[in-house]
Amino acid sequence: MGGQVSTSSSFSNLRCRNANEDWMSTLSPRLWDVPLHHLSIPGSHDTMTYCLNKKSPISHEESRLLQLLNKAFPCITRPMVLKWSVTQALDVTEQLDAGVRYLDLRIAHMLEGSEKNLHFVHMVYTTALVEVRPGGLFVAGTNLTENLQYVLAHPSESLEKMTLPNLPRLSAWVREQRPGPGSRCTNVIAGDFIGADSFVGDVIALNQKLLWC
């Protein structure tokens, strides 16, 4: 596990908080017949970035500029990119225990790696490999991270440092949303750094608004 990103101490006391572990089984009976895609579902953005590999090359899908910088100054570029790639501190089991029910999984081959291996990826590749099962893979997600120009202009910053102070604003926005079948309804909301605040609980609580209809 030496190649993994170490998690921040901000999350060291979060692994015991599983109040939302079985939230779907505790929904009001009036919601049992509501289609799943009409419910409010908490998700994690770039789910697997807790295990990004410090020694990984930059993803071949990143910009040409970033590829050139990585070749010229790998000792500087890779640590900087890594800090802006990590969006989760909890592993996938802990995220599920926290109540997450939508996983944002981005999958790719590593050009320098084995053709048989699929890795999870967000700018760099993970230490974890994808286990391919019959029926194929479902890949989906949203991208809320900063662009390359911002990252290069703030080499001492990180996605975690930018995100955590702004979580109260995100929570306020989440509480204003409404699930359901309408075109203006929001059903799946994926957040960064699951467990750092009340995000999962706020998304789950939106389902109460379906009882008002």
Side-chain angles (χ1 to χ4, degrees):
M1 302 298 287
Q4 284 189 207
V5 178
S6 60
T7 57
S8 167
S9 59
S10 303
F11 298 87
S12 60
N13 63 340
L14 297 173
R15 289 168 170 77
C16 295
R17 301 180 186 177
N18 297 332
N20 298 314
E21 183 175 6
D22 299 315
W23 68 268
M24 300 191 83
S25 66
T26 62
L27 286 175
S28 168
R30 292 169 56 192
L31 298 177
W32 290 355
D33 293 328
V34 173
L36 183 63
H37 60 281
H38 291 173
L39 294 176
S40 180
I41 306 292
S44 57
H45 171 224
D46 280 307
T47 301
M48 300 298 293
T49 54
Y50 64 86
C51 63
L52 292 176
N53 192 339
K54 292 180 180 179
K55 299 179 181 180
S56 165
I58 302 295
S59 168
H60 65 276
E61 294 186 353
E62 296 304 321
S63 70
R64 187 175 181 182
L65 172 59
L66 190 57
Q67 301 288 351
L68 291 173
L69 288 173
N70 181 53
K71 290 182 179 179
F73 311 104
C75 294
I76 298 175
T77 305
R78 288 190 183 182
M80 180 177 63
V81 169
L82 195 67
K83 291 192 299 182
W84 285 97
S85 300
V86 177
T87 66
Q88 304 298 336
L90 303 184
D91 66 34
V92 67
T93 299
E94 291 166 336
Q95 291 177 41
L96 291 169
D97 287 344
V100 165
R101 294 297 181 267
Y102 173 91
L103 304 178
D104 175 11
L105 305 176
R106 311 189 184 203
I107 298 167
H109 281 288
M110 186 189 301
L111 291 182
E112 297 83 356
S114 169
E115 293 183 358
K116 296 181 180 180
N117 289 340
L118 285 172
H119 295 257
F120 299 101
V121 61
H122 183 218
M123 298 185 76
V124 294
Y125 300 93
T126 60
T127 55
L129 297 178
V130 180
E131 182 179 353
V132 180
R133 295 181 180 274
L137 299 169
F138 174 72
V139 184
T142 58
N143 189 351
L144 302 177
T145 57
E146 289 295 336
N147 57 30
L148 177 59
Q149 289 74 20
Y150 187 93
V151 172
L152 294 177
H154 299 81
S156 63
E157 295 296 315
S158 69
L159 187 62
E160 182 177 343
K161 289 181 180 179
M162 183 184 72
T163 301
L164 295 186
N166 290 295
L167 288 179
R169 296 181 182 178
L170 174 61
S171 293
W173 177 84
V174 167
R175 290 191 290 269
E176 293 176 354
Q177 304 311 301
R178 177 181 294 275
S183 59
R184 296 185 178 181
C185 293
T186 304
N187 299 105
V188 175
I189 307 177
D192 291 334
F193 300 105
I194 296 299
D197 69 342
S198 61
F199 169 77
V200 172
D202 290 340
V203 176
I204 294 171
L206 294 177
N207 289 300
Q208 295 299 313
K209 295 184 179 182
L210 293 172
L211 300 176
W212 305 346
C213 300

